Amino acid sequence: MLTEETKSIIKATIPVLEEHGDAITTAFYKHMFEEHPELLNIFNKTNQKLGRQQTALAQTVIAAAKHIDHLEAIIPNVNQIAHKHRALQIKEEHYPIVGENLIWAIGHVLGDAATPEIIDAWTKTYGVIADVFIQMEKALYEEEEWHDFKPFKVIDIKEESAEIKSYTVMSDDIKVQPIKAGQYITVKVHPENEENDALRHYSICSIDTTKGIKFAVKRDVAGSEKGMVSNYLHDNVKVGDEILLSAPAGEFTVDAPQEKDIVLISGGVGMTPIMAMLEDEEKKGRHIKFIHSAYNRDAVPFKAEIKKYHNKENVQFFFNYSESVGRLNKTKLADIMNGNEEIYMCGSVAFMEAMLEVFNEMNIDRSQVHFEPFGPKMSITI
Ligand code: HEM
């Protein structure tokens, strides 16, 4: 338990942390990787370069500090992060390393302003916040279908669109249970010419795992730092190769009451978890509006799967090709939706932000909108 004195120091120092948040987390990462280079095998170096994880961590620490009197308010966000941490196999023993380096960075950036009382208050507060994560992750580790990363053989690779390939993988030892629609798996690879392992999450295309786990990967611009693992998979991994996978994870799943209609909306490769949701919800007889935004028809993945639903009365499809008709906007969505549906959406951070703005214009309550961006969720600021 934190004392009132500790809490008031935390509240008083939030504006300073907000001001220096990015500087603190940048210093934190630099110092932590110098002290613990082995962690470069876990962290996403692309996110580091793009500053994504810096923002995510700074925002999370400040959000937690703001809610220090009622930490339960951050539980939904912790839940989403805890799933990612579990998928990356972040363990309890990693937390003190992050804590020590974060506190060091606060002292380093604030200089003399970081009094021993302030350092002490943040050390204790970090401990409390870390414990919320550790407890939630403990529960997820107890449920995980297998521990650590295990080898899976690639048994099929399919070109789903000009830029997207799906990979189906199977294990000799693990009979994988059906996944929950919307979940992802985490791949560990070690590209040649790279010093470290690289981990990435990829959404699963289908709940049916009897013929293997199928996930989809979008190629990134050639030579781009952004797509290091995706491009490695596209260019190097062949049928018969083995890749390492941790157990399926993620809480982006459909939980709307059965009588509610749902809108499944995706941009680009964001269609992947949405396909699993379509498969699952269609079977249950749910009324579904399936909206997909792509640059043009060539960019639409899973065309063969989509065809299977064309004569289903409970599913309506809408495709928006931005090359010819511009982006999805309020007028187009208001034609399709009645505003009472529960919305599940997936795509890039930019797509999510654009759609959230459109939903605001349509006066759709945020509680109806469930989403998973490809990138840290808390970097979304709308
Ligand atoms: C991802 C916060 C502890 C490793 C994240 C994300 C947040 C976050 C907000 C982004 C989630 C998303 O993608 O939506 C925190 C907080 C922590 C903490 C507040 C402490 C209380 C740790 C620890 C480790 C760790 C102890 C391991 C040493 C990672 C990694 C990612 C991640 C590897 C994936 C993103 C990337 O690789 O850049 N964390 N985290 N985190 N976290 Fe943590």
Side-chain angles (χ1 to χ4, degrees):
M1 281 293 281
L2 297 172
T3 63
E4 287 309 314
E5 196 192 340
T6 302
K7 287 185 192 173
S8 56
I9 295 174
I10 293 299
K11 286 176 198 162
T13 48
I14 285 171
V16 191
L17 269 202
E18 280 183 325
E19 197 187 325
H20 298 288
D22 282 350
I24 291 168
T25 39
T26 303
F28 151 68
Y29 278 113
K30 192 168 174 293
H31 193 253
M32 184 168 74
F33 293 141
E34 279 163 11
E35 299 284 308
H36 291 276
E38 75 282 2
L39 291 182
L40 286 167
N41 289 313
I42 306 180
F43 279 87
N44 175 339
K45 281 201 262 176
T46 306
N47 275 355
Q48 301 298 315
K49 288 194 181 126
L50 299 176
R52 282 195 205 129
Q53 174 66 7
Q54 270 92 329
T55 321
L57 204 130
Q59 280 183 355
T60 310
V61 171
I62 293 169
K66 280 184 177 164
H67 293 94
I68 200 64
D69 287 324
H70 44 94
L71 271 180
E72 65 284 356
I74 64 161
I75 293 293
N77 284 323
V78 177
N79 187 27
Q80 184 251 348
I81 301 161
H83 273 267
K84 288 214 169 149
H85 282 163
R86 202 291 288 144
L88 296 159
Q89 299 288 299
I90 307 297
K91 297 285 166 64
E92 189 170 349
E93 56 270 25
H94 290 123
Y95 279 86
I97 302 175
V98 164
E100 276 158 30
N101 286 282
L102 194 55
I103 301 304
W104 174 88
I106 291 174
H108 178 74
V109 172
L110 299 190
D112 289 345
T115 62
E117 291 74 22
I118 291 178
I119 292 297
D120 183 56
W122 277 98
T123 305
K124 288 180 175 146
T125 302
Y126 173 81
V128 170
I129 296 168
D131 204 48
V132 175
F133 279 80
I134 292 167
Q135 294 314 321
M136 204 172 265
E137 286 159 23
K138 219 176 237 173
L140 297 178
Y141 277 110
E142 275 164 24
E143 286 170 9
E144 71 180 346
E145 213 182 325
W146 65 88
H147 300 304
D148 210 344
F149 285 85
K150 293 278 188 280
F152 278 70
K153 192 171 273 175
V154 178
I155 56 167
D156 191 27
I157 301 178
K158 224 188 212 162
E159 305 260 352
E160 301 287 356
S161 76
E163 291 179 325
I164 299 169
K165 282 186 186 177
S166 67
Y167 296 77
T168 306
V169 296
M170 235 178 174
S171 153
D172 290 337
D173 310 320
I174 304 165
K175 193 176 173 301
V176 181
Q177 296 303 308
I179 58 114
K180 286 191 199 143
Q183 287 193 306
Y184 52 82
I185 45 87
T186 304
V187 173
K188 185 198 276 202
V189 293
H190 193 124
E192 276 167 36
N193 310 326
E194 287 293 328
E195 258 175 67
N196 301 105
D197 293 341
L199 313 182
R200 290 295 185 281
H201 310 292
Y202 293 106
S203 293
I204 306 173
C205 314
S206 168
I207 53 169
D208 180 4
T209 51
T210 46
K211 295 193 185 100
I213 304 178
K214 183 177 168 189
F215 60 93
V217 180
K218 178 175 178 268
R219 169 187 282 290
D220 254 303
V221 188
S224 137
E225 187 56 50
K226 249 170 98 186
M228 196 244 283
V229 176
S230 301
N231 293 353
Y232 171 79
L233 291 169
H234 269 250
D235 295 337
N236 296 286
V237 172
K238 303 175 296 300
V239 170
D241 288 353
E242 264 185 356
I243 51 174
L244 296 169
L245 251 64
S246 69
E251 42 64 79
F252 174 56
T253 50
V254 177
D255 53 4
Q258 188 55 38
E259 65 280 6
K260 273 230 159 186
D261 291 1
I262 58 171
V263 172
L264 300 177
I265 180 162
S266 56
V269 71
M271 198 200 271
T272 315
I274 295 293
M275 285 306 289
M277 290 178 175
L278 173 66
E279 179 189 5
D280 199 23
E281 295 299 320
E282 192 283 322
K283 265 195 229 151
K284 296 178 189 161
R286 172 99 70 181
H287 283 267
I288 300 166
K289 289 160 190 163
F290 182 105
I291 305 171
H292 182 71
S293 177
Y295 182 61
N296 56 28
R297 201 178 174 281
D298 284 349
V300 176
F302 311 118
K303 291 192 194 75
E305 266 86 7
I306 290 169
K307 259 193 193 144
K308 293 182 199 156
Y309 294 90
H310 274 174
N311 55 1
K312 303 281 182 190
E313 278 175 15
N314 53 334
V315 189
Q316 289 169 271
F317 286 96
F318 303 91
F319 290 90
N320 187 80
Y321 299 131
S322 56
E323 184 185 30
S324 48
V325 296
R327 288 164 173 238
L328 275 173
N329 58 23
K330 182 181 167 186
T331 320
K332 291 179 196 170
L333 287 180
D335 262 358
I336 305 166
M337 297 168 53
N338 60 33
N340 294 323
E341 305 94 339
E342 291 290 313
I343 302 163
Y344 294 85
M345 67 171 172
C346 188
S348 64
V349 170
F351 178 75
M352 300 282 100
E353 290 186 335
M355 287 301 102
L356 287 173
E357 266 189 19
V358 175
F359 294 142
N360 281 349
E361 286 170 37
M362 293 169 75
N363 292 324
I364 288 177
D365 197 284
R366 182 60 77 87
S367 65
Q368 288 167 245
V369 189
H370 316 270
F371 63 95
E372 175 112 311
F374 289 135
K377 190 167 188 176
M378 288 189 76
S379 65
I380 289 191
T381 50
I382 303 290

